[in-house]
Amino acid sequence: PRHPHLPTSATPFPHCSPGTSPGRLPPFPPPKTLTTPRTAAMEQANPRAGSARNRKVVLRDYISRAPREDDMALVDGGAVPLRVPEGAAGPAVLVKNLYLSCDPYMRGRMRDFHGSYIPPFKPGSVIEGLGVARVVDSTHPGFVAGDIVSGMTGWEEYSLIDKPEQLNKIQQSDIPLSYHLGLLGMPGFTAYVGFYEICSPKKGEFVFVSAASGAVGQIVGQLAKLHGCYVVGSAGTNEKVELLKDKFGFDAAFNYKEEPDLTAALKRYFPEGIDIYFENVGGPMLDAVLLNMRMHGRIAVCGMVSQHGMTDPAGIHNLFCLVPKRISMKGFIQSDYINLFPQFLDYMTKHYKDGKIAYLEDMSIGLENAPAAFVGLFSGKNVGKQVVCVSQE
């Protein structure tokens, strides 16, 4: 098998019913079935129930450039009843959001483009993303008030989830709840799938990770080290470079902003060439990597953050290297591998508790700071996985 903790022939796991698998998060649902918070319906809830003010972050309008803070607005959504509305079309769950995840893919949802794997946001509506929340009220038999859940929610203080079967119940432990948005969530699973399923690593191979101190990159590098590989990462500040070596155990790391010739830099760190490249940035870095790949190398294309803010994305000049070097280059989305999520969760939880995996998050406090936290992703301001704490109650 490609991974020592996976069976030779991995078989799909049935989607767990809410609450039936204590201590384990079921797989993330495919993006096409993401939950949409129905704040409007909350306005029609039982008027005798208690209520609370509900601030929210909305998208002002579609953009075709790098996001700015003023592309989003913090608005007062008025008072919302703290009960699921009577007469709802089906079971629903009202949650109080505790932590929100800032992820680069959300930039794509700010475009007026409907041909992606996930639909765009709607201008004037609340921004949606992954979050951890506490159940306030529920008409779904799998959830009760006080449960802690993760899944798609709104960038607001309270959200009504009208597809609660897509929520994952979290069994609380000594691992911080916010880690279910990173280490034990979508970024961690992306790293796991990309490295083991796409890259098919072998012990002793040479691995390069770009944007290596980010939510995904920091985990990829550690998985590679656990697998017996030689690992080098790139980052955009000297502070991040030191973190890669001292905290995450990379064999070497460099600040790409201080390298006038990326091709020469990679040749210096990989004199024998690169077997595996975990691609997070695109642009000139990808071009330099292609020239330094070894025969039968593998490239897992997770993202290209350098291209997110460009109206005219830069092209790649060295793709012909794929032919003589027989390089495999593949893009992927983690939700295509949801059958592996239970194994991932067991593996990552064990290695974190055993001290074999380190994790770093960058937490902003307050819903009002969510736009700045998100925008900072695209200039490298975050150090580790970017999350926003809305409430700790």
Side-chain angles (χ1 to χ4, degrees), residues 293-304:
M293 292 294 291
R294 300 182 78 185
M295 294 282 284
H296 303 290
R298 286 88 69 204
I299 299 176
V301 183
C302 175
M304 294 189 176

Side-chain angles (χ1 to χ4, degrees), residues 320-339:
F320 185 74
C321 292
L322 298 177
V323 180
K325 296 184 179 183
R326 288 80 143 180
I327 300 167
S328 298
M329 183 172 173
K330 183 177 180 179
F332 71 100
I333 301 295
Q334 52 82 24
S335 57
D336 291 342
Y337 299 84
I338 56 173
N339 61 297

Side-chain angles (χ1 to χ4, degrees), residues 4-326:
H5 297 272
L6 297 181
T8 302
S9 178
T11 56
F13 283 74
H15 212 64
C16 301
S17 299
T20 60
S21 182
R24 170 174 290 175
L25 284 174
F28 285 102
K32 65 181 179 181
T33 57
L34 295 178
T35 301
T36 300
R38 280 191 353 221
T39 304
M42 294 164 66
E43 308 283 350
Q44 303 170 7
N46 185 346
R48 296 190 298 273
S51 63
R53 305 299 294 184
N54 191 34
R55 297 181 305 160
K56 59 181 72 176
V57 177
V58 301
L59 177 68
R60 292 181 184 272
D61 203 354
Y62 290 126
I63 61 174
S64 58
R65 46 164 171 73
R68 299 192 304 246
E69 289 183 48
D70 60 4
D71 293 321
M72 296 159 274
L74 180 69
V75 300
D76 186 346
V80 294
L82 300 181
R83 295 290 299 271
V84 172
E86 294 179 356
V93 174
L94 175 68
V95 300
K96 181 174 185 178
N97 293 308
L98 305 178
Y99 300 97
L100 301 175
S101 179
C102 296
D103 296 297
Y105 81 88
M106 298 168 67
R107 161 66 185 89
R109 301 191 70 187
M110 294 180 166
R111 299 179 300 159
D112 187 11
F113 177 69
H114 297 262
S116 183
Y117 66 93
I118 189 169
F121 297 134
K122 296 179 180 179
S125 296
V126 67
I127 288 175
E128 301 166 15
L130 292 166
V132 170
R134 176 173 55 83
V135 174
V136 175
D137 188 36
S138 171
T139 57
H140 189 286
F143 300 98
V144 298
D147 283 346
I148 304 297
V149 297
S150 67
M152 269 291 168
T153 188
W155 277 27
E156 55 191 344
E157 291 173 295
Y158 295 89
S159 295
L160 185 71
I161 310 300
D162 58 11
K163 291 188 174 118
E165 66 276 5
Q166 296 174 3
L167 294 173
N168 303 306
K169 188 182 292 187
I170 296 175
Q171 187 73 26
Q172 296 190 63
S173 68
D174 55 347
I175 297 179
L177 290 177
S178 59
Y179 283 25
H180 289 271
L181 297 178
L183 178 72
L184 303 180
M186 183 269 287
F189 189 45
T190 298
Y192 185 87
V193 165
F195 184 65
Y196 288 120
E197 295 299 303
I198 308 300
C199 296
S200 301
K202 302 178 185 67
K203 183 177 180 179
E205 289 193 313
F206 302 109
V207 178
F208 176 52
V209 185
S210 56
S213 67
V216 175
Q218 62 173 277
I219 298 173
V220 172
Q222 294 178 85
L223 294 178
K225 287 300 298 177
L226 286 172
H227 202 74
C229 298
Y230 175 82
V231 187
V232 177
S234 65
T237 70
N238 292 331
E239 175 194 9
K240 293 178 180 180
V241 166
E242 294 307 309
L243 279 172
L244 292 177
K245 295 184 290 185
D246 298 341
K247 185 176 181 67
F248 300 129
F250 283 56
D251 293 290
F254 65 92
N255 183 343
Y256 71 89
K257 294 179 181 178
E258 296 182 351
E259 297 290 348
D261 186 337
L262 292 174
T263 301
L266 290 174
K267 184 66 175 178
R268 190 167 72 247
Y269 285 98
F270 295 98
E272 298 181 51
I274 300 167
D275 292 298
I276 291 172
Y277 173 44
F278 201 96
E279 164 69 303
N280 289 311
V281 300
M285 184 67 81
L286 176 57
D287 255 335
V289 166
L290 286 167
L291 294 175
N292 280 277
M293 292 294 291
R294 300 182 78 185
M295 294 282 284
H296 303 290
R298 286 88 69 204
I299 299 176
V301 183
C302 175
M304 294 189 176
V305 71
S306 72
Q307 306 299 297
H308 283 187
M310 294 188 175
T311 54
D312 185 20
I316 302 300
H317 304 282
N318 297 323
L319 279 177
F320 185 74
C321 292
L322 298 177
V323 180
K325 296 184 179 183
R326 288 80 143 180

